[in-house]
Amino acid sequence: MRVIGIDLSGPSNHKDTVVVVFEEHGGQLRFVKCGSPMSDEEILKEVSAQSQIDEVVIGIDAPLSYEDGGGDRVSDRELRKFIVENGMKPGSIMPPTFNRMVYLTLRGIKLSREITTLASLHPISIVEVHPGAVIGSRLSPKELDYVLAYKKDLEARQYLLRWLEQQHLIGIPETAAEQCHSIDACAAALGAWHWKNPEFTPKWIFPAKLPLHPFDYCC
């Protein structure tokens, strides 16, 4: 199985979009490659290429649906409640139609539907992932400061890179700590792996609600 983590940015911000590819082997995810910047076309080409090799599981850090009428989805409210109970801050979860989120939501919806067309030819599954919640829900209480700081702090990202290795994501280059988007992409892969592999259990999951919310949401 190939596991892909995507930290998506808005449609015009390819430079902050990171795609990481892992190969599942012997109970581990082995790092294969990382791509950035990435356009939609480049992401689709990468997904297609990996699907020629094996089953593909994709974790995307972006809203893949929105609430009819605007505001929070039920899943947003439930995840916000979950992370607060686990000592994290609620502000990282914003409504998909919020001004700062709407272009990211647009790209997430468009890209996920385009990937779905590839799934008619090869086994590809998609899950929406919140990387910060993936990390924070697996850290001990005394480690939570790292998830609160990693967006801006290099030392926190370096710590989380070592932590990802402890979660059996092996071979990630040290340069991944240079930007938070790479850490987020790796965490999205971790969340997707735990969602798909029956040997694991996601820390939190909100099932898809067809037809408006067609993908599971997990951390």
Side-chain angles (χ1 to χ4, degrees):
M1 181 168 69
R2 294 290 171 121
V3 180
I4 299 176
I6 303 177
D7 182 45
L8 207 62
S9 295
S12 63
N13 189 10
H14 295 170
K15 69 180 180 63
D16 288 336
T17 297
V18 177
V19 176
V20 291
V21 180
F22 291 89
E23 177 187 17
E24 185 183 45
H25 183 79
Q28 297 177 320
L29 288 188
R30 291 182 176 174
F31 178 85
V32 175
K33 64 191 302 186
C34 176
S36 182
M38 294 289 283
S39 66
D40 290 359
E41 183 178 3
E42 289 168 328
I43 293 172
L44 290 169
K45 285 181 178 178
E46 187 61 55
V47 170
S48 179
Q50 296 302 323
S51 72
Q52 309 295 319
I53 300 171
D54 204 344
E55 176 184 5
V56 172
V57 179
I58 305 170
I60 302 179
D61 174 21
L64 304 184
S65 66
Y66 66 89
E67 188 67 18
D68 192 15
D72 279 332
R73 299 169 294 179
V74 175
S75 58
D76 298 319
R77 292 194 295 271
E78 291 297 317
L79 180 57
R80 193 179 293 116
K81 178 182 176 182
F82 172 79
I83 68 169
V84 169
E85 290 173 348
N86 282 269
M88 290 171 273
K89 296 180 179 179
S92 66
I93 301 168
M94 292 179 280
T97 53
F98 187 59
N99 285 349
R100 290 176 55 189
M101 293 291 291
V102 67
Y103 288 109
L104 174 60
T105 300
L106 173 66
R107 190 181 185 194
I109 290 173
K110 174 181 178 290
L111 182 64
S112 61
R113 274 49 167 192
E114 290 168 341
I115 293 173
T116 299
T117 64
L118 299 176
S120 63
L121 303 174
H122 301 282
I124 300 172
S125 51
I126 299 171
V127 61
E128 182 178 337
V129 181
H130 189 287
V134 168
I135 297 168
S137 62
R138 289 166 175 79
L139 292 175
S140 67
K142 65 181 181 181
E143 295 175 302
L144 275 180
D145 283 346
Y146 292 107
V147 77
L148 299 176
Y150 81 98
K151 294 288 187 179
K152 297 182 178 180
D153 186 81
L154 175 61
E155 289 186 6
R157 293 195 295 273
Q158 290 171 334
Y159 181 92
L160 292 179
L161 188 60
R162 295 190 295 270
W163 176 83
L164 285 165
E165 292 273 347
Q166 296 168 8
Q167 308 309 305
H168 308 295
L169 275 66
I170 61 172
I172 305 171
E174 292 183 6
T175 54
E178 292 176 0
Q179 58 168 328
C180 65
H181 302 293
S182 298
I183 298 295
D184 282 337
C186 290
L190 174 60
W193 184 37
H194 285 189
W195 168 76
K196 185 65 175 181
N197 189 318
E199 295 183 10
F200 301 105
T201 303
K203 295 296 183 179
W204 174 89
I205 186 168
F206 196 90
K209 301 290 184 182
L210 295 171
L212 297 180
H213 308 286
F215 302 105
D216 287 358
Y217 189 9
C218 77
C219 72

